[in-house]
Amino acid sequence: MPTYTAPTKDMQFVLHDVLNIAGSDIPGYADLEPDFTSAILEEAGKISAEVLQPLNAVGDTEGCALENGVVRTPQGFKDAFEQVKAGGWPGLDMPEEFGGQNMPYVLNTAVGEMFSAANQAFTMYQGLTHGAASAILAHGSDEQKQTYLPKMVSCDWTGTMNLTEPHCGTDLGLMRTKAEPQDDGSYKLTGQKIFISSGEHDMAENIIHLVLAKIPGGPEGIKGVSLFIVPKFLVKEDGSLGARNGVSCGKIEEKMGIHGNSTCVMNYDGATGYLLGQQHKGMRAMFTMMNEARLAVGMQGLAQAEVAFQNALDYAKDRLQGRDVTGVKNPDGPADPLIVHPDVRRNLMDQKSFTEGARAFTLWGAMLIDQAHRAGDKDADGLISLLTPVIKGFLTDQGYDMTVQAQQVYGGHGYIEEWGMSQFTRDARIAMIYEGANGVQALDLVGRKLAQDGGKHVMAFFDLVKSYIAETKGQDADFDRDFLDPLKAASKDLQAAGMYFMAEGMKNPNNALAGSYDFMHMFGHVCLGYMWARMGKAAREALDGGTGDPEFYATKLATGRYYMARQLPATALHLARIQSGAEPVMALEAANF
Amino acid sequence: MPTYTAPTKDMQFVLHDVLNIAGSDIPGYADLEPDFTSAILEEAGKISAEVLQPLNAVGDTEGCALENGVVRTPQGFKDAFEQVKAGGWPGLDMPEEFGGQNMPYVLNTAVGEMFSAANQAFTMYQGLTHGAASAILAHGSDEQKQTYLPKMVSCDWTGTMNLTEPHCGTDLGLMRTKAEPQDDGSYKLTGQKIFISSGEHDMAENIIHLVLAKIPGGPEGIKGVSLFIVPKFLVKEDGSLGARNGVSCGKIEEKMGIHGNSTCVMNYDGATGYLLGQQHKGMRAMFTMMNEARLAVGMQGLAQAEVAFQNALDYAKDRLQGRDVTGVKNPDGPADPLIVHPDVRRNLMDQKSFTEGARAFTLWGAMLIDQAHRAGDKDADGLISLLTPVIKGFLTDQGYDMTVQAQQVYGGHGYIEEWGMSQFTRDARIAMIYEGANGVQALDLVGRKLAQDGGKHVMAFFDLVKSYIAETKGQDADFDRDFLDPLKAASKDLQAAGMYFMAEGMKNPNNALAGSYDFMHMFGHVCLGYMWARMGKAAREALDGGTGDPEFYATKLATGRYYMARQLPATALHLARIQSGAEPVMALEAANF
């Protein structure tokens, strides 16, 4: 059975050696000294490895069951949920006034990686609640906040997000769910929502559904969508639970993975709902928290890749098969371990260089979010808005591929459910789809974010990379050759793609859109290259300074060199594809496919 | 629910317009006139679409069950198996003297693609039988052939291949199963084999296991392995079934996919076996049919990609979501179909250009096998031996990726089992693992096949591409630019990689092995590029000649242009990775990972 060890040492390296969080002037960051973050990460690592991970396979095998309208979660989930609640984890970054601990989001992200790696399906119950609570925090009236947030911050009540309907996922303007105004100021909601994660389950006293719906007579399409709070049990004035509301789970879906999370068809039959935020501004309210939500999904890609990698690595060290062609490594055994073989190493190094780069990328992204929210920095907000589709799309695509590679290390055993590697790929697959399918992320990046504020944020990104190279260059010739030169080349490829979009997209927008997916991946590689250059520099300085564990830093440098030599050159291929333009992509009539 | 339509028109195009099989002087090919092959393909397409495909989801949902030593296959499988047998499909390319139809392997391959696309798990029962029968045909005594082949050619008896043991998959020298000689010339086999596809089931009167085992006192390691025939029921002299043999199914595995095929742990408890071929030459005997077996698995990668693509395409045409940015395409509907969006097209064109290229590649490979076997052409044998790991490794990796892309077109519905897209990816996943995991294919290619016969066959491949370009160039400037120039560039990249291996692999073999996986993919792209150039030429000539369906040929040309512009440039990335050498891959000590 698979195991999980929280990568706390690597997280500490990123938070302190690379991002120097305690030295940042973002409000709340001064407290984040290494000893403090270490204590929190170790504690989160412990509950992840000891409580959540052992339930991962249970959740997969047992799944959820709908019986008489009630969803039964897998055995052990409820106990584990109580332990997570008792530890105060759901409220880590929530305001103290509602029972939270008001920690920065960057810490929440590190903890989230561990929880997701240990048990993605389980962690979603808490993750959706966090998203719903954040929306209420941002858009709710004082009364709504007082009514719902204390219970949601503690996860006594959980939350959901209801967007999709059978005939509309991405194109929410087609939505049919109706919200009819009542005399008392409430609404009656009627319609069906699908793919509602954690929509119904047995781990919370109440479930607070956030539901998008149209108020009759409002504007057509997406501009007529409003957001509503629809509790499973209505809440009385004294805060106690009242009548069951007209919302029910009609079905739970049989899915490829994340079996431990109940994915529900939710039926609203004149359910009582309360407007959250303004009428017809539902999309805006739902998407206020989009950067965090999408970063969290990108992090799931990293998380599944990490746990899959850890197990593939263990297997590659243990399994004896064949001999090293350059000389026997295990003369006392019948064969050498798999890890001696160059192609197995290639596979493992792909995984290792991805997960460590992705970890730095998500933590840097989370720090930008803190800078935007806690310090009110509009430039940081613009930059993270630009990077959000890259984090979501690139990390979930690559994270999935890495789980497939990890599975491959196991040979035939990778295909057998008992060994657990299949679950990592099946669970990781969803992250490429939900919270905006990755093609939609690419469209958001190229169609919206690139040109936002006159292209200011993408220029800022290029400046960041450029000045980093300029500041760092000339101190160490090997480092320049291995890290900075490849980064410069990749960044130039990305700029060339941007220029192509500007020049050719003017003539025909499809010239930009046909290259959007490649652009997203290319951008992701440049970001990971930038992260690796920063990590490499930190590792080199630590080695030069003689601080810390020299093997750790030397390994970090070697892993970075691998990424630079073998992954970053992908930017040239993406550029070539982009520059071939829309014609090859759009040449066929639909009927001739 | 998914559907399947056999791509008979495309197969006819490849067989006749491109490969001109009826004009070949390979024995048996003169009969393969278009009308004749069309009749066979249509018939095979019919049974695939109407009988096998509807059972695909049934097999996945129901799976196999082991009860009191007997494996129950999913409902409907036995009836379908009888229909396949009645149609004579299992013996299509088997000798007439054993009840077969003696058709060329190229036709068997086309039929195999359809059967696999329609129902891979089901088709494996027949496929394993074909492999086992082929081994008996090549190595069996006359008596063994007479005893087993008529029943196996008809699939009244099915066959299996028993290689893997719990502690050894790739490294079969570690094998522990023993075969002790008996006075009557037979052997008693004792040991355990795992991952035995079709190892036990209820669709045949008898199951003929081919089992690798060691005769005590023989040479150590792989040189001491022999091959045995171990029937489930012993066969009496008159051909009727006798006593149950000492072989039994101990367990069936829960797998990620191909649930309809029983993957068995087989226990041999002093089971009676008969030596097939020579003592200690078991590996050679088992692998005589390796090129066919591996080509058939490569074809499974294509097959799952094809059926997934067909369904993704239907969905992209039907599902209304969003509007074409260049102008509304479906003004009467609430939205435009998905297929208007450039990134959806990019996804679909990846799939289409892969499947059509892969089809040509497998059929060309099958033709080379016929040329080797039927015409005794040693050069063809050398060439197909070189190409076999490419067909197996590249087509199953890419085929899997295409099923993932097809699933993505469905958005959230792609993750729900009911819609069937998840099954295609779960079923396709195994083809990257079995019949030699793809890393082993890459090792075989670079470590063995490249240098075979002094590098003669890889030189022959390059000559083939070069002379094709030379012969074709100068007739049509657009064609030269769109097809021949990219092919030439890609082929040069592949040669440069080969040169790098020669020069640097001499110094350190890891310089070649660390690049083996990239080389396999690069080689695959050049082969598909070569196929697309040949298909493009055939299409252009047909258009110029005014024969056939002009839309079909124009579509073919446009699809080829897409492959050349957007897929073939991957060779440069693979070359860059290869030329970075072994250092980045091998830099870490195993303990520092």
Side-chain angles (χ1 to χ4, degrees), chain B residues 22 32 59 101 109-110 133 152 180 195 235 300 334 377 443 446 450 459 513 539 549 553 556:
Chain B
L32 302 180
Q101 299 181 58
T109 300
M152 291 176 80
E180 288 174 296
F195 303 159
V235 183
Q300 290 177 345
D377 182 334
L443 181 65
V446 170
L450 264 191
M459 295 311 297
L513 299 180
D549 173 357
Y553 294 118
K556 192 58 82 176

Side-chain angles (χ1 to χ4, degrees), chain A residues 11-237:
Chain A
M11 288 176 173
Q12 287 282 92
F13 167 73
V14 173
L15 292 175
H16 301 292
D17 293 30
V18 182
L19 299 176
N20 185 22
I21 54 170
S24 158
D25 55 9
I26 299 171
Y29 269 49
D31 296 339
L32 302 180
E33 292 290 344
D35 285 353
F36 177 77
T37 60
S38 173
I40 291 185
L41 296 180
E42 291 299 334
E43 202 56 39
K46 202 163 170 257
I47 192 169
S48 300
E50 295 173 9
V51 178
L52 307 190
Q53 199 279 332
L55 291 173
N56 196 43
V58 176
D60 188 54
T61 313
E62 222 179 279
C64 295
L66 175 66
E67 285 159 6
N68 305 320
V70 179
V71 171
R72 187 171 33 73
T73 53
Q75 198 146 14
F77 269 42
K78 196 166 162 50
D79 279 356
F81 203 65
E82 291 304 320
Q83 290 185 59
V84 168
K85 284 163 62 177
W89 298 109
L92 193 68
D93 67 339
M94 284 287 169
E96 290 181 55
E97 82 176 284
F98 301 115
Q101 298 181 57
N102 199 29
M103 295 281 165
Y105 184 67
V106 73
L107 209 56
N108 205 49
T109 300
V111 170
E113 184 201 315
M114 299 182 201
F115 281 24
S116 280
N119 198 328
Q120 179 173 329
F122 175 89
T123 302
M124 287 170 66
Y125 291 98
Q126 169 188 343
L128 271 299
T129 308
H130 190 277
S134 298
I136 294 174
L137 193 60
H139 301 284
S141 64
D142 284 344
E143 193 197 332
Q144 287 173 333
K145 290 182 196 176
Q146 291 304 334
T147 306
Y148 300 106
L149 287 181
K151 291 288 195 180
M152 292 177 80
V153 164
S154 66
C155 268
D156 288 333
W157 300 354
T158 62
T160 73
M161 303 293 231
N162 291 240
L163 290 79
T164 306
E165 299 184 5
H167 59 287
C168 68
T170 300
D171 191 353
L172 291 170
L174 304 176
M175 184 173 295
R176 291 179 192 150
T177 299
K178 280 201 183 67
E180 287 173 297
Q182 306 298 305
D183 292 344
D184 65 355
S186 72
Y187 292 79
K188 291 274 180 220
L189 276 81
T190 305
Q192 189 178 64
K193 296 287 181 177
I194 63 169
F195 304 159
I196 308 309
S197 299
S198 320
E200 175 58 41
H201 61 88
D202 56 3
M203 302 198 296
E205 300 157 12
N206 201 3
I207 300 176
I208 309 305
H209 303 286
L210 296 198
V211 186
L212 287 178
K214 286 185 171 175
I215 301 169
E220 286 291 301
I222 200 73
K223 290 178 180 163
V225 167
S226 307
L227 184 59
F228 298 89
I229 298 174
V230 183
K232 175 178 167 184
F233 290 100
L234 296 173
V235 183
K236 294 191 207 158
E237 292 221 349

Side-chain angles (χ1 to χ4, degrees), chain A residues 165-171 174 194-195 251 253-258 309 313 317 319-322 325-326 334-335 339-340 342-343 345-346 348-349 352 400 404 407-408 411-413 415-418 422 425-427 429-430 432-433 437-439 508-510 513-518 551 555 558-559 561-562 565-567 569-570 573 576-578 580-581 583-593, chain B residues 165-171 174 194-195 251 253-258 309 313 317 319-322 325-326 334-335 339-340 342-343 345-346 348-349 352 400 404 407-408 411-413 415-418 422 425-427 429-430 432-433 437-439 508-510 513-518 551 555 558-559 561-562 565-567 569-570 573 576-578 580-581 583-593:
Chain A
E165 299 184 5
H167 59 287
C168 68
T170 300
D171 191 353
L174 304 176
I194 63 169
F195 304 159
K251 179 187 172 191
E253 307 282 1
E254 295 290 332
K255 308 181 299 293
M256 184 178 181
I258 53 164
F309 168 60
L313 178 60
K317 287 178 177 176
R319 174 88 170 172
L320 305 180
Q321 208 79 176
V325 291
T326 63
I339 199 169
V340 304
D343 188 61
R345 291 230 170 198
R346 185 260 326 152
L348 294 170
M349 288 300 290
K352 182 173 172 65
Y400 176 74
V404 174
Q407 188 184 21
Q408 191 72 9
H413 297 93
Y415 201 65
I416 308 297
E417 292 294 352
E418 194 182 341
S422 157
T425 79
R426 290 185 291 95
D427 286 0
R429 183 68 185 86
I430 188 58
M432 296 156 71
I433 299 172
N438 287 355
N508 176 357
N510 286 347
L513 298 180
S516 59
Y517 214 86
D518 280 282
E551 280 198 348
T555 298
T559 308
R561 277 201 305 273
Y562 181 91
R566 297 201 36 121
Q567 298 295 351
L573 171 60
R577 285 184 184 151
I578 286 167
S580 73
E583 196 282 329
V585 177
M586 305 303 290
L588 297 187
E589 293 297 317
N592 289 340
F593 259 82
Chain B
E165 299 185 6
H167 59 288
C168 67
T170 300
D171 190 354
L174 304 176
I194 63 170
F195 303 159
K251 180 188 171 188
E253 307 282 1
E254 295 290 331
K255 309 182 299 291
M256 184 178 182
I258 53 166
F309 168 60
L313 178 60
K317 287 178 177 175
R319 174 87 171 172
L320 305 180
Q321 208 80 178
V325 291
T326 63
I339 199 168
V340 305
D343 187 61
R345 292 228 169 200
R346 185 258 329 151
L348 294 171
M349 288 299 290
K352 182 173 172 65
Y400 177 74
V404 174
Q407 187 184 21
Q408 191 72 10
H413 295 95
Y415 200 65
I416 308 297
E417 291 294 353
E418 195 182 341
S422 157
T425 80
R426 291 186 291 96
D427 286 0
R429 183 67 184 86
I430 188 58
M432 295 156 72
I433 299 173
N438 286 356
N508 176 356
N510 286 348
L513 299 180
S516 59
Y517 213 86
D518 281 282
E551 280 198 347
T555 298
T559 308
R561 278 201 304 274
Y562 181 91
R566 297 201 37 120
Q567 297 296 351
L573 171 59
R577 285 183 183 153
I578 286 168
S580 73
E583 196 282 329
V585 177
M586 305 303 289
L588 296 186
E589 292 297 318
N592 289 340
F593 260 81

